Protein backbone atom coordinates (compact mmCIF):
# COMPACT_ATOMS: atom_id res chain seq x y z
CA UNK A 1 0.00 0.00 0.00
CA UNK A 2 1.09 3.57 -0.59
CA UNK A 3 0.11 7.21 -0.68
CA UNK A 4 -0.18 9.10 -3.98
CA UNK A 5 0.39 12.82 -4.47
CA UNK A 6 -0.26 14.62 -7.75
CA UNK A 7 1.24 18.10 -7.70
CA UNK A 8 0.53 20.76 -10.37
CA UNK A 9 0.42 18.15 -13.13
CA UNK A 10 -0.13 19.33 -16.68
CA UNK A 11 -0.24 17.43 -19.95
CA UNK A 12 0.06 19.20 -23.31
CA UNK A 13 -0.29 17.87 -26.82
CA UNK A 14 0.99 20.82 -28.79
CA UNK A 15 -1.42 23.70 -28.06
CA UNK A 16 -3.98 21.33 -26.54
CA UNK A 17 -3.91 21.11 -22.74
CA UNK A 18 -5.57 17.93 -21.52
CA UNK A 19 -4.51 18.37 -17.88
CA UNK A 20 -4.31 21.82 -16.29
CA UNK A 21 -2.62 22.18 -12.92
CA UNK A 22 -4.07 19.07 -11.30
CA UNK A 23 -3.47 18.67 -7.55
CA UNK A 24 -4.74 15.55 -5.74
CA UNK A 25 -3.63 13.81 -2.55
CA UNK A 26 -4.56 10.16 -2.00
CA UNK A 27 -3.94 8.69 1.44
CA UNK A 28 -2.68 5.17 2.02
CA UNK A 29 -5.57 2.72 1.54
CA UNK A 30 -8.02 5.19 0.00
CA UNK A 31 -10.31 4.39 -2.93
CA UNK A 32 -10.15 7.43 -5.21
CA UNK A 33 -12.52 7.74 -8.17
CA UNK A 34 -11.77 10.09 -11.07
CA UNK A 35 -15.20 11.03 -12.38
CA UNK A 36 -16.26 13.12 -15.33
CA UNK A 37 -17.62 13.08 -18.89
CA UNK A 38 -15.67 11.74 -21.86
CA UNK A 39 -12.71 13.94 -22.74
CA UNK A 40 -12.38 15.52 -19.28
CA UNK A 41 -8.81 14.21 -18.77
CA UNK A 42 -9.43 11.43 -16.26
CA UNK A 43 -7.94 8.61 -18.39
CA UNK A 44 -4.98 10.82 -19.33
CA UNK A 45 -4.33 11.36 -15.63
CA UNK A 46 -4.55 7.63 -14.92
CA UNK A 47 -2.07 6.96 -17.75
CA UNK A 48 0.26 9.55 -16.25
CA UNK A 49 0.10 7.83 -12.84
CA UNK A 50 0.85 4.52 -14.54
CA UNK A 51 3.80 5.97 -16.44
CA UNK A 52 2.20 5.34 -19.82
CA UNK A 53 1.94 9.07 -20.65
CA UNK A 54 4.75 11.31 -19.35
CA UNK A 55 3.52 14.59 -17.87
CA UNK A 56 4.49 17.95 -19.38
CA UNK A 57 5.05 19.50 -15.94
CA UNK A 58 4.39 18.83 -12.29
CA UNK A 59 5.16 15.79 -10.15
CA UNK A 60 3.65 12.39 -9.47
CA UNK A 61 4.76 11.06 -6.10
CA UNK A 62 4.17 7.47 -4.94
CA UNK A 63 4.94 6.71 -1.31
CA UNK A 64 7.12 9.82 -1.04
CA UNK A 65 9.14 9.12 -4.20
CA UNK A 66 8.87 11.27 -7.33
CA UNK A 67 8.23 8.76 -10.15
CA UNK A 68 8.16 11.08 -13.20
CA UNK A 69 11.37 9.54 -14.57
CA UNK A 70 10.74 6.00 -13.32
CA UNK A 71 9.56 3.47 -15.91
CA UNK A 72 6.04 2.12 -15.61
CA UNK A 73 7.25 -1.40 -14.79
CA UNK A 74 9.27 -0.06 -11.84
CA UNK A 75 6.45 1.96 -10.21
CA UNK A 76 4.93 -1.07 -8.45
CA UNK A 77 1.43 -0.37 -9.71
CA UNK A 78 -1.06 -2.77 -11.34
CA UNK A 79 -3.64 -1.74 -13.93
CA UNK A 80 -6.99 -3.29 -14.86
CA UNK A 81 -8.20 -2.29 -18.32
CA UNK A 82 -11.65 -1.82 -19.80
CA UNK A 83 -10.92 -4.46 -22.47
CA UNK A 84 -9.64 -7.11 -19.97
CA UNK A 85 -6.41 -7.46 -22.05
CA UNK A 86 -6.18 -11.23 -21.45
CA UNK A 87 -3.99 -13.51 -23.56
CA UNK A 88 -6.51 -15.61 -25.56
CA UNK A 89 -4.25 -18.65 -26.00
CA UNK A 90 -3.36 -18.93 -22.31
CA UNK A 91 -5.40 -20.55 -19.56
CA UNK A 92 -6.67 -18.50 -16.64
CA UNK A 93 -3.81 -19.86 -14.52
CA UNK A 94 -1.18 -18.76 -17.04
CA UNK A 95 -2.84 -15.38 -17.51
CA UNK A 96 -2.69 -14.85 -13.76
CA UNK A 97 0.98 -15.77 -13.49
CA UNK A 98 2.29 -14.27 -16.73
CA UNK A 99 3.78 -11.19 -15.08
CA UNK A 100 5.30 -13.29 -12.30
CA UNK A 101 6.96 -15.60 -14.83
CA UNK A 102 8.42 -12.62 -16.68
CA UNK A 103 9.88 -11.32 -13.42
CA UNK A 104 11.37 -14.73 -12.64
CA UNK A 105 9.15 -15.72 -9.71
CA UNK A 106 9.55 -19.32 -8.55
CA UNK A 107 6.91 -21.95 -9.26
CA UNK A 108 6.08 -22.06 -5.57
CA UNK A 109 5.53 -18.28 -5.48
CA UNK A 110 3.29 -18.51 -8.53
CA UNK A 111 1.23 -21.37 -7.07
CA UNK A 112 0.79 -19.58 -3.75
CA UNK A 113 -0.29 -16.36 -5.49
CA UNK A 114 -2.79 -18.19 -7.72
CA UNK A 115 -4.24 -20.07 -4.74
CA UNK A 116 -4.68 -16.83 -2.75
CA UNK A 117 -6.23 -14.82 -5.59
CA UNK A 118 -8.40 -17.64 -6.95
CA UNK A 119 -9.96 -18.12 -3.51
CA UNK A 120 -10.73 -14.41 -3.14
CA UNK A 121 -12.22 -14.00 -6.64
CA UNK A 122 -13.84 -17.46 -6.86
CA UNK A 123 -11.73 -18.54 -9.83
CA UNK A 124 -10.82 -21.98 -8.46
CA UNK A 125 -12.98 -23.86 -10.97
CA UNK A 126 -11.87 -21.72 -13.93
CA UNK A 127 -8.08 -21.99 -13.77
CA UNK A 128 -7.77 -24.40 -16.71
CA UNK A 129 -10.18 -22.56 -19.00
CA UNK A 130 -9.24 -20.04 -21.67
CA UNK A 131 -10.74 -16.53 -21.92
CA UNK A 132 -13.06 -17.55 -24.77
CA UNK A 133 -14.75 -20.02 -22.39
CA UNK A 134 -15.53 -17.35 -19.79
CA UNK A 135 -18.37 -14.85 -19.35
CA UNK A 136 -17.66 -11.12 -19.30
CA UNK A 137 -17.80 -11.00 -15.52
CA UNK A 138 -15.42 -13.96 -15.22
CA UNK A 139 -12.95 -12.34 -17.62
CA UNK A 140 -13.00 -9.16 -15.58
CA UNK A 141 -12.32 -11.15 -12.40
CA UNK A 142 -9.33 -12.74 -14.13
CA UNK A 143 -8.07 -9.30 -15.14
CA UNK A 144 -8.41 -8.20 -11.53
CA UNK A 145 -6.69 -11.36 -10.34
CA UNK A 146 -3.73 -10.75 -12.65
CA UNK A 147 -3.28 -7.37 -10.98
CA UNK A 148 -3.71 -8.82 -7.49
CA UNK A 149 -1.04 -11.52 -7.74
CA UNK A 150 1.56 -8.78 -7.74
CA UNK A 151 0.31 -7.26 -4.46
CA UNK A 152 1.15 -3.80 -5.84
CA UNK A 153 1.34 -0.51 -3.97
CA UNK A 154 -1.50 0.94 -6.05
CA UNK A 155 -4.33 -0.51 -8.14
CA UNK A 156 -5.39 1.47 -11.23
CA UNK A 157 -8.77 0.71 -12.84
CA UNK A 158 -9.60 2.22 -16.25
CA UNK A 159 -13.41 2.00 -16.69
CA UNK A 160 -13.30 -1.77 -16.01
CA UNK A 161 -17.08 -2.33 -16.01
CA UNK A 162 -18.18 -0.37 -19.09
CA UNK A 163 -18.31 -3.49 -21.30
CA UNK A 164 -20.61 -5.40 -18.93
CA UNK A 165 -24.40 -5.50 -18.85
CA UNK A 166 -26.31 -3.80 -16.01
CA UNK A 167 -26.57 -6.84 -13.71
CA UNK A 168 -22.92 -7.79 -14.16
CA UNK A 169 -21.86 -4.21 -13.46
CA UNK A 170 -23.77 -4.34 -10.18
CA UNK A 171 -22.22 -7.70 -9.28
CA UNK A 172 -18.70 -6.58 -10.19
CA UNK A 173 -19.05 -3.33 -8.25
CA UNK A 174 -19.71 -5.43 -5.18
CA UNK A 175 -16.68 -7.62 -5.97
CA UNK A 176 -14.41 -4.59 -6.32
CA UNK A 177 -15.78 -3.08 -3.11
CA UNK A 178 -15.20 -6.31 -1.18
CA UNK A 179 -11.71 -6.58 -2.66
CA UNK A 180 -10.79 -3.11 -1.43
CA UNK A 181 -12.28 -3.72 2.01
CA UNK A 182 -10.25 -6.94 2.28
CA UNK A 183 -6.93 -5.84 0.77
CA UNK A 184 -6.92 -2.11 1.76
CA UNK A 185 -4.77 -1.36 -1.27
CA UNK A 186 -4.68 2.25 -2.46
CA UNK A 187 -6.88 2.40 -5.56
CA UNK A 188 -7.46 4.93 -8.35
CA UNK A 189 -10.53 4.19 -10.44
CA UNK A 190 -11.65 6.00 -13.62
CA UNK A 191 -15.31 6.12 -14.63
CA UNK A 192 -17.95 8.37 -16.19
CA UNK A 193 -20.66 6.46 -14.27
CA UNK A 194 -21.71 8.40 -11.18
CA UNK A 195 -23.32 5.32 -9.60
CA UNK A 196 -19.97 3.51 -9.68
CA UNK A 197 -18.29 6.58 -8.22
CA UNK A 198 -20.81 7.05 -5.40
CA UNK A 199 -20.90 3.38 -4.39
CA UNK A 200 -17.16 2.62 -4.59
CA UNK A 201 -15.25 5.75 -3.61
CA UNK A 202 -13.97 6.97 -0.29
CA UNK A 203 -13.00 10.14 -2.19
CA UNK A 204 -14.24 11.47 -5.55
CA UNK A 205 -12.45 13.85 -7.90
CA UNK A 206 -14.87 15.46 -10.37
CA UNK A 207 -13.09 16.62 -13.53
CA UNK A 208 -14.07 18.73 -16.52
CA UNK A 209 -11.92 20.19 -19.28
CA UNK A 210 -8.70 18.86 -17.78
CA UNK A 211 -9.33 20.62 -14.47
CA UNK A 212 -10.41 19.41 -11.03
CA UNK A 213 -13.84 20.81 -10.21
CA UNK A 214 -14.19 19.34 -6.72
CA UNK A 215 -12.61 16.78 -4.40
CA UNK A 216 -14.58 15.26 -1.55
CA UNK A 217 -16.44 12.31 -0.08
CA UNK A 218 -19.40 10.99 -2.10
CA UNK A 219 -21.85 12.55 0.37
CA UNK A 220 -20.11 15.93 0.26
CA UNK A 221 -20.02 15.95 -3.54
CA UNK A 222 -23.73 15.08 -3.63
CA UNK A 223 -25.05 17.45 -0.96
CA UNK A 224 -22.58 20.33 -1.29
CA UNK A 225 -21.45 20.54 -4.93
CA UNK A 226 -18.86 23.27 -5.43
CA UNK A 227 -20.39 24.60 -8.63
CA UNK A 228 -23.21 24.13 -11.11
CA UNK A 229 -21.27 21.64 -13.24
CA UNK A 230 -20.85 19.27 -10.29
CA UNK A 231 -24.43 19.87 -9.16
CA UNK A 232 -25.83 18.93 -12.56
CA UNK A 233 -23.42 16.08 -13.27
CA UNK A 234 -23.98 14.24 -9.98
CA UNK A 235 -27.37 12.75 -9.21
CA UNK A 236 -30.00 10.80 -11.12
CA UNK A 237 -32.48 12.32 -11.74
CA UNK A 238 -30.44 15.49 -12.00
CA UNK A 239 -30.71 18.41 -9.60
CA UNK A 240 -33.41 20.96 -10.39
CA UNK A 241 -31.57 24.19 -11.26
CA UNK A 242 -33.76 27.30 -11.57
CA UNK A 243 -32.57 30.73 -12.67
CA UNK A 244 -33.71 33.89 -10.88
CA UNK A 245 -32.64 36.62 -8.47
CA UNK A 246 -32.18 36.78 -4.72
CA UNK A 247 -34.45 39.26 -2.92
CA UNK A 248 -34.61 40.48 0.67
CA UNK A 249 -38.08 40.82 2.18
CA UNK A 250 -37.86 41.99 5.77
CA UNK A 251 -35.33 39.62 7.31
CA UNK A 252 -36.14 36.81 4.86
CA UNK A 253 -34.15 35.71 1.82
CA UNK A 254 -36.47 34.99 -1.10
CA UNK A 255 -35.63 33.35 -4.43
CA UNK A 256 -37.61 34.95 -7.24
CA UNK A 257 -37.50 32.81 -10.36
CA UNK A 258 -37.30 34.25 -13.86
CA UNK A 259 -40.75 32.76 -14.47
CA UNK A 260 -42.24 34.21 -11.26
CA UNK A 261 -41.75 31.16 -9.04
CA UNK A 262 -41.03 32.26 -5.45
CA UNK A 263 -39.30 30.26 -2.72
CA UNK A 264 -38.75 31.64 0.78
CA UNK A 265 -35.30 30.58 1.96
CA UNK A 266 -35.59 31.59 5.61
CA UNK A 267 -33.69 34.24 7.59
CA UNK A 268 -31.04 35.98 5.48
CA UNK A 269 -27.49 34.75 6.14
CA UNK A 270 -24.26 36.68 5.75
CA UNK A 271 -23.34 34.69 2.67
CA UNK A 272 -26.68 35.27 1.00
CA UNK A 273 -26.86 38.96 1.97
CA UNK A 274 -23.88 39.75 -0.28
CA UNK A 275 -25.85 38.43 -3.29
CA UNK A 276 -29.15 40.25 -2.74
CA UNK A 277 -30.37 41.72 -6.04
CA UNK A 278 -28.00 39.53 -8.05
CA UNK A 279 -28.71 36.73 -10.53
CA UNK A 280 -28.60 33.32 -8.83
CA UNK A 281 -29.51 29.70 -9.50
CA UNK A 282 -31.56 27.71 -6.98
CA UNK A 283 -30.50 24.05 -6.76
CA UNK A 284 -32.92 21.48 -5.34
CA UNK A 285 -32.49 17.71 -5.64
CA UNK A 286 -35.68 15.73 -6.44
CA UNK A 287 -35.79 14.19 -2.95
CA UNK A 288 -35.56 17.65 -1.36
CA UNK A 289 -39.11 18.33 -2.58
CA UNK A 290 -42.04 17.08 -0.51
CA UNK A 291 -45.82 17.25 -0.79
CA UNK A 292 -47.43 19.90 1.39
CA UNK A 293 -50.96 21.28 1.12
CA UNK A 294 -49.86 24.63 2.59
CA UNK A 295 -46.73 24.99 0.45
CA UNK A 296 -46.12 28.20 -1.47
CA UNK A 297 -45.26 26.27 -4.64
CA UNK A 298 -48.33 24.93 -6.43
CA UNK A 299 -47.52 22.53 -9.26
CA UNK A 300 -49.31 20.28 -11.73
CA UNK A 301 -48.13 16.71 -12.38
CA UNK A 302 -47.00 16.30 -15.97
CA UNK A 303 -45.32 12.87 -16.18
CA UNK A 304 -44.97 10.00 -13.69
CA UNK A 305 -42.12 7.48 -14.01
CA UNK A 306 -42.60 4.53 -11.62
CA UNK A 307 -39.33 2.73 -10.76
CA UNK A 308 -40.68 0.32 -8.15
CA UNK A 309 -38.93 1.82 -5.13
CA UNK A 310 -39.82 5.41 -6.10
CA UNK A 311 -41.96 7.49 -8.38
CA UNK A 312 -40.06 10.10 -10.37
CA UNK A 313 -42.67 12.81 -10.87
CA UNK A 314 -42.22 15.64 -13.37
CA UNK A 315 -44.21 18.73 -12.39
CA UNK A 316 -44.80 22.16 -13.84
CA UNK A 317 -44.93 25.24 -11.59
CA UNK A 318 -45.07 28.79 -13.00
CA UNK A 319 -43.78 27.47 -16.30
CA UNK A 320 -40.78 25.78 -14.65
CA UNK A 321 -40.29 22.02 -14.91
CA UNK A 322 -39.37 20.30 -11.64
CA UNK A 323 -38.49 16.66 -10.94
CA UNK A 324 -39.49 15.18 -7.58
CA UNK A 325 -38.81 11.79 -6.03
CA UNK A 326 -41.95 10.55 -4.30
CA UNK A 327 -43.07 7.28 -2.74
CA UNK A 328 -44.54 4.57 -5.00
CA UNK A 329 -48.07 5.34 -6.12
CA UNK A 330 -47.83 9.09 -5.54
CA UNK A 331 -48.73 11.40 -8.42
CA UNK A 332 -51.19 11.25 -11.31
CA UNK A 333 -50.93 13.28 -14.54
CA UNK A 334 -52.97 16.47 -14.16
CA UNK A 335 -53.01 16.30 -10.35
CA UNK A 336 -52.32 19.55 -8.48
CA UNK A 337 -49.69 19.17 -5.75
CA UNK A 338 -48.26 21.61 -3.23
CA UNK A 339 -44.47 21.41 -3.00
CA UNK A 340 -42.32 22.27 0.00
CA UNK A 341 -38.55 22.69 -0.36
CA UNK A 342 -36.21 21.26 2.27
CA UNK A 343 -34.56 24.59 3.15
CA UNK A 344 -31.84 22.90 5.19
CA UNK A 345 -30.48 21.40 1.95
CA UNK A 346 -31.49 23.79 -0.86
CA UNK A 347 -28.49 25.48 -2.52
CA UNK A 348 -27.83 28.80 -4.23
CA UNK A 349 -25.23 29.36 -6.95
CA UNK A 350 -23.88 32.59 -8.39
CA UNK A 351 -25.32 32.74 -11.92
CA UNK A 352 -22.17 34.44 -13.27
CA UNK A 353 -19.37 32.40 -11.67
CA UNK A 354 -21.53 29.27 -11.25
CA UNK A 355 -19.91 28.73 -7.82
CA UNK A 356 -21.99 27.67 -4.83
CA UNK A 357 -22.82 30.54 -2.47
CA UNK A 358 -21.92 29.81 1.14
CA UNK A 359 -24.77 30.46 3.54
Amino acid sequence: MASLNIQNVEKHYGELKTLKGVNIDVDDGEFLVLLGPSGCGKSTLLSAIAGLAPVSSGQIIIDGVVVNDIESAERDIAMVFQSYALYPTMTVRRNLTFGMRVRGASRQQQDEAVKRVAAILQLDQLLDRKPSQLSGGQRQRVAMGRAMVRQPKIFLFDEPLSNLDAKLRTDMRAEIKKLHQREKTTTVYVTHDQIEAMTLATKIVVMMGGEVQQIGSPQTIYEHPANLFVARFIGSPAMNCLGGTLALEGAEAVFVGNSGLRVSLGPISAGYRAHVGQAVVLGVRPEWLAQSAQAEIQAVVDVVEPTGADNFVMLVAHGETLMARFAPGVGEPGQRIGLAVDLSKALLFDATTEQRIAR
Side-chain angles (χ1 to χ4, degrees):
M1 296 187 291
S3 60
L4 170 67
N5 304 99
I6 298 166
Q7 298 182 349
N8 299 313
V9 164
E10 300 208 349
K11 179 64 178 177
H12 308 159
Y13 293 97
E15 296 298 315
L16 178 64
K17 292 186 177 182
T18 56
L19 295 175
K20 306 170 187 176
V22 174
N23 288 280
I24 303 170
D25 293 322
V26 188
D27 294 334
D28 189 2
E30 275 197 309
F31 196 119
L32 181 86
V33 173
L34 302 177
L35 175 66
S38 297
C40 72
K42 57 188 185 296
S43 291
T44 301
L45 181 56
L46 194 77
S47 295
I49 297 168
L52 303 176
V55 300
S56 301
S57 62
Q59 292 184 327
I60 295 176
I61 303 169
I62 296 177
D63 224 12
V65 178
V66 178
V67 298
N68 291 44
D69 298 323
I70 296 178
E71 292 295 326
S72 178
E74 305 301 320
R75 294 191 183 190
D76 198 9
I77 51 93
M79 195 161 181
V80 179
F81 296 92
Q82 174 182 347
S83 59
Y84 316 135
L86 302 178
Y87 296 101
T89 60
M90 294 184 185
T91 63
V92 168
R93 185 189 304 277
R94 290 184 64 79
N95 264 286
L96 291 174
T97 59
F98 178 78
M100 298 185 72
R101 296 199 307 274
V102 169
R103 293 190 300 276
S106 68
R107 182 60 179 270
Q108 180 180 351
Q109 288 173 318
Q110 294 177 42
D111 289 344
E112 289 175 352
V114 168
K115 183 178 179 180
R116 176 179 64 87
V117 169
I120 292 172
L121 296 177
Q122 300 177 15
L123 296 173
D124 310 74
Q125 306 304 314
L126 308 176
L127 293 175
D128 295 322
R129 296 187 188 180
K130 292 184 177 179
S132 61
Q133 299 171 298
L134 304 177
S135 68
Q138 290 169 335
R139 292 179 195 178
Q140 195 55 274
R141 292 213 305 273
V142 175
M144 290 166 56
R146 186 175 55 190
M148 288 172 60
V149 294
R150 295 183 52 188
Q151 294 184 295
K153 288 182 177 179
I154 299 176
F155 280 132
L156 305 179
F157 287 86
D158 188 9
E159 303 203 49
L161 309 184
S162 59
N163 288 335
L164 305 180
D165 62 37
K167 183 180 185 307
L168 272 178
R169 281 201 302 273
T170 301
D171 292 344
M172 287 306 301
R173 277 205 312 267
E175 292 290 340
I176 293 171
K177 185 102 174 180
K178 286 191 290 185
L179 171 63
H180 181 256
Q181 290 172 346
R182 182 185 295 110
E183 301 291 306
K184 307 293 188 201
T185 305
T186 306
T187 301
V188 181
Y189 187 106
V190 163
T191 184
H192 62 270
D193 186 324
Q194 57 176 289
I195 301 300
E196 285 181 30
M198 295 292 288
T199 55
L200 290 173
T202 58
K203 182 187 290 182
I204 295 175
V205 177
V206 182
M207 298 185 66
M208 178 61 184
E211 296 180 301
V212 172
Q213 301 295 312
Q214 187 173 2
I215 301 175
S217 69
Q219 203 64 30
T220 296
I221 295 283
Y222 187 80
E223 293 191 346
H224 304 286
N227 55 44
L228 276 174
F229 171 76
V230 178
R232 289 167 171 154
F233 188 75
I234 298 291
S236 181
M239 179 181 285
N240 298 294
C241 294
L242 309 175
T245 57
L246 184 62
L248 179 61
E249 297 183 1
E252 295 278 311
V254 178
F255 170 80
V256 182
N258 294 332
S259 63
L261 179 71
R262 295 171 60 86
V263 180
S264 298
L265 301 175
I268 190 75
S269 65
Y272 285 2
R273 186 178 294 276
H275 290 79
V276 169
Q278 296 182 12
V280 295
V281 175
L282 175 66
V284 181
R285 294 214 177 274
E287 62 271 25
W288 299 349
L289 291 170
Q291 285 183 279
S292 174
Q294 287 77 41
E296 60 184 326
I297 302 175
Q298 295 298 312
V300 177
V301 175
D302 188 20
V303 177
V304 178
E305 299 178 343
T307 67
D310 301 288
N311 269 10
F312 295 148
V313 181
M314 189 178 297
L315 308 108
V316 177
H318 290 272
E320 297 277 9
T321 299
L322 299 169
M323 179 67 79
R325 186 194 297 263
F326 290 152
V330 175
E332 293 288 341
Q335 178 184 359
R336 296 190 66 83
I337 288 180
L339 293 177
V341 177
D342 185 342
L343 299 183
S344 69
K345 295 186 175 180
L347 306 172
L348 280 184
F349 300 88
D350 186 302
T352 302
T353 66
E354 298 195 347
Q355 298 300 302
R356 178 167 52 85
I357 301 171
R359 292 182 185 274

